[in-house]
Amino acid sequence: RFESPLPVVLFGDHTRVLKYLDAPFARGADGTQILVTDPRHVLPHYLFYALHTVDLSSYGYARHFKYLKEKSIPIPPIDVQQSIVNKLSVYDTLIKNNNGRMVLLEESLRLLYHKWFVLFQFPGHEHIRVEDGCPEGWKRYTVGEVLTKIPRRASIPKKSYLSDGPIPIVDQSSAFFGGFTADREAKYDTPLPLIVFGDHTRVVKFVDIPFARGADGTQLLYPVSFVSPQFLYCAICHIDVSSFGYTRHFKYLTSTLIVIPPQKITRLFDDLATPILRQIGTLRIQNQRIQKARN
C-alpha cells in the first residue's frame, strides 16, 4: 500500500501509460514506475500533463523509462504550473463524467441481457416452457457457429500508429482507440456494427464507426443473419474465458455455447440495446474530441 508522498505520477515502463494518483494505492507488477516530485518546484499534476507531450513511440516494445528520463520538459514558475493544471483539469473532469456515464450505460445493458437471456425473464416468458435450461423454440449454438466471414484488410502494426489521423485504430488494448492511421486501404466501413475481441486481452468492443484493425490478436466478429451484432456483443461480454491464463482465447470463445432466441425476441432486445450502445458511442467520440482539445 503506497500512501506517502501523494500525489504521484505512475508511468508504465512497457505501455507508456501515465496515471495521476492522489489516493493510497497498491503498485502493480514489474514495469510500474512511481514518479515523485518536490512540489515546491514541480507540481505532480503539472508533471502528469507535461509528460504527455513527450514522444516515446519510436522505441517499439521496450523499457521506456530510461528514455523518458533523458527527455526534457519545460518547468515554468509554480503559479504558471498551477494555472495550467487548473485549465486542463476542467477537460479531465468532463472526460471523467462521460466515463462514468458510459459505465452506467454498459451496466444497464449487461443487466438487461442477464434478465432476458440468463434468467429468461423476457417479454412473454410466462407463456413459454423451459426444458433442459432452454426456452421452447430457442436453440443452442457455439459462438463459432453464429459467425460469418468478413473481407480482411491490412492490419496496422503498433509502430505505425499515429497520435492523430482520419481513421481510428481499434485493437485489443483496454483503450477503445489505440491510435490513428491515414491508410484508407486498411479501413473497415462495412459491415458495421461488428465486435472486436482481444485474443490475448479478452477485451470486447462494439464498433459502429469506420475503423482500422490493430495488429496481431485483434479478432473481428460479425454474426450470421439470424443473430444481431447487438445481441452477439452482449452474449460475448457474458462469456468468461479468464481461466485459461495468458494464451490465445479466441478458440475457447468460439467453442462456447450460447442460447439464441427467436428473431422476434432479438428484435425487441435490439430496440432497447441500440439506443444505449449509440449513446455510449456518442460519449466516446465526445471524450476523443475533449482529449484532443486538452492536448
Side-chain angles (χ1 to χ4, degrees), residues 1-178:
R1 181 181 170 94
F2 189 94
E3 296 180 323
S4 180
L6 287 172
V8 297
V9 177
L10 263 60
F11 175 75
D13 209 354
H14 286 303
T15 63
R16 309 192 306 272
V17 170
L18 289 160
K19 299 178 181 178
Y20 174 79
L21 296 178
D22 56 4
F25 65 94
R27 188 173 68 149
D30 181 51
T32 305
Q33 300 289 339
I34 300 176
L35 312 183
V36 180
T37 69
D38 182 345
R40 295 173 299 175
H41 304 293
V42 181
L43 298 175
H45 213 161
Y46 172 80
L47 177 67
F48 170 73
Y49 288 127
L51 291 180
H52 276 85
T53 68
V54 177
D55 183 12
L56 300 173
S57 60
S58 62
Y59 298 104
Y61 185 78
R63 294 277 189 174
H64 292 87
F65 188 53
K66 59 185 177 183
Y67 302 114
L68 179 71
K69 291 188 293 185
E70 296 172 353
K71 302 292 185 177
S72 61
I73 57 174
I75 305 295
I78 287 292
D79 61 328
V80 177
Q81 293 182 40
Q82 188 62 60
S83 176
I84 292 170
V85 168
N86 291 343
K87 288 181 172 64
L88 297 183
S89 294
V90 174
Y91 292 95
D92 282 343
T93 298
L94 293 173
I95 292 170
K96 182 179 180 181
N97 290 341
N98 281 348
N99 284 337
R101 293 171 64 189
M102 284 191 284
V103 168
L104 292 175
L105 289 166
E106 286 279 4
E107 179 65 8
S108 69
L109 191 61
R110 188 194 71 80
L111 291 174
L112 178 66
Y113 178 90
H114 186 81
K115 180 179 180 180
W116 283 32
F117 305 114
V118 178
L119 302 179
F120 298 133
Q121 295 177 5
F122 52 89
H125 70 278
E126 304 92 342
H127 311 294
I128 303 295
R129 291 186 304 169
V130 176
E131 296 180 352
D132 192 25
C134 188
E136 188 178 21
W138 297 33
K139 296 182 180 180
R140 287 190 175 94
Y141 295 88
T142 66
V143 171
E145 289 174 327
V146 299
L147 298 181
T148 186
K149 291 185 177 181
I150 59 175
R152 292 182 64 86
R153 295 173 174 81
S155 59
I156 308 297
K158 187 76 173 179
K159 62 182 180 180
S160 299
Y161 285 18
L162 304 177
S163 58
D164 197 7
I167 305 170
I169 298 171
V170 180
D171 56 20
Q172 63 171 332
S173 64
S174 57
F176 196 88
F177 299 125

